[in-house]
Amino acid sequence: MSKFVRTILITGGAGFIGSHVVRHFVKKYPDYHICNLDVLTYAGNLMNIKDIENNDNYTFIKADITDLEEMRTLFKQYNFDGVIHLAAESHVDRSITEPLSFVKTNVLGTAVLLQVAKETWGEDKQGKLFYHVSTDEVYGSLELEQGFFYETTPYDPKSPYSASKASSDHLVRAYNHTFKLPVVISNCSNNYGPYQFPEKLIPLFINNIIEKKALPVYGKGINVRDWLYVKDHAVAIDTIFHEGKDGETYNIGGHNEWTNIDLIRLLCRLMDEKLGREKGSSEALITFVKDRSGHDLRYAIDASKIDDELGWKPSIQFEEGLSKTIDWYLENQGWLQNVTSGEYQNYYKKQYS
Ligand code: NAD
Ligand code: DAU
């Protein structure tokens, strides 16, 4: 008889958002067994969750979600009754240079997990839930200063990344409709915060400013994104996991739209202050470069459903969150160096084998 009331599989828990979700669940629910399954691609870094790796209610499993037989074995072995699925290829630029790995991981990987959950849970669906963590990019792109993405907005993905996430959302809904698999989906805007891989805009630019390297702004920097502090996303996921309704979709956003160039200028100002550098020295690193191919102009989320129905709203204001994020990267330059040198990829071998 297990001492835990539930066994939850979290996929992609060595990545950026997944590590915050794993930490949140491990700490908040000591009576849940949290199993973090991650294959440790370049984006997987076990140092992101080093602080909880010895907790009693935490297990790390190195495995690939596209491996059907291994997923079958693991579902039988651990008897997962909830799945929070975050494992994915997540970087839009990489999806332009290597789209097939996005199809494999995001589409096939999600299909494998759905199929194995269906097979394992059979008719006994009481207390079971498959939660897919998805993106607002499935809705496509908005005009400047006009309109929002609602849960009812038709899908119109435009990059191989967003098309692969849209496909996986469709598969999740198909398993709900056809097989009555209990599911929820959330579509969230751009996250920022500690432990984000320095290929994404904010951590890349923080790292480049520290190293006095150029800041490559795509196109004219007029594209708009809605930014949410990652710990607010983890709380939203917890809320939806426990209170979301079967088959429903919830948009998650920060009510916080910025053009890239305005955000970058704010980041530059804060970095000058925090590094004690001359005013304007970070901005001088801005370099306008060739635009991202097919670059979505604007994302903006209407997150009123999750607020009205489940009582979640973001708690951290952007300037505060950005300031905390910069402080974290400045205080954890060892983490950044480990990532940029590739040293972080040796941690699994050192710790687990
Ligand atoms: P990330 O790239 O930081 O982490 C992805 C994790 O998945 C890594 O640890 C990687 O090792 C793991 N992984 C990849 N392929 C795998 C496989 N085949 N088997 C097992 N593990 C595998 O991603 P992130 O930014 O933390 O995003 C997490 C999820 O949230 C993704 O599904 C993404 O689409 C979604 N999302 C991200 C954002 C954002 O702003 N970053 C916003 C909305 C939604
Ligand atoms: O909206 C949610 C999505 O947000 C998530 O689903 C994705 O996983 C996540 O990567 C993110 O996608 P973006 O493409 O919006 O994030 P990124 O950090 O790559 O870029 C943010 C904006 O900054 C975008 O308009 C492109 C621009 N940019 C990005 C980089 C890396 C630059 O101008 N220069 C850069 O070097």
Side-chain angles (χ1 to χ4, degrees), residues 142-181:
L142 294 162
E143 295 301 314
L144 289 179
E145 292 170 20
Q146 204 189 319
F148 290 94
F149 295 139
Y150 302 92
E151 285 83 357
T152 50
T153 301
Y155 275 27
D156 186 19
K158 297 193 181 291
S159 72
Y161 164 68
S162 53
S164 69
K165 293 295 289 188
S167 308
S168 51
D169 284 356
H170 287 319
L171 281 164
V172 173
R173 292 198 182 96
Y175 269 71
N176 181 251
H177 181 82
T178 308
F179 306 114
K180 309 288 173 256
L181 190 79

Side-chain angles (χ1 to χ4, degrees), residues 328-353:
W328 185 86
Y329 280 95
L330 292 178
E331 284 157 18
N332 291 277
Q333 290 191 46
W335 180 91
L336 259 181
Q337 278 152 14
N338 252 297
V339 171
T340 49
S341 68
E343 176 58 27
Y344 71 106
Q345 286 171 315
N346 298 325
Y347 188 74
Y348 174 75
K349 236 187 271 156
K350 278 192 212 145
Q351 200 65 11
Y352 288 89
S353 46

Side-chain angles (χ1 to χ4, degrees), residues 209-212 271-273 275-279 281-282:
I209 292 171
I210 294 171
E211 295 185 2
K212 299 187 178 167
M271 289 294 287
D272 286 348
E273 284 167 20
L275 290 167
R277 288 185 188 164
E278 197 184 328
K279 208 171 156 192
S281 55
S282 297

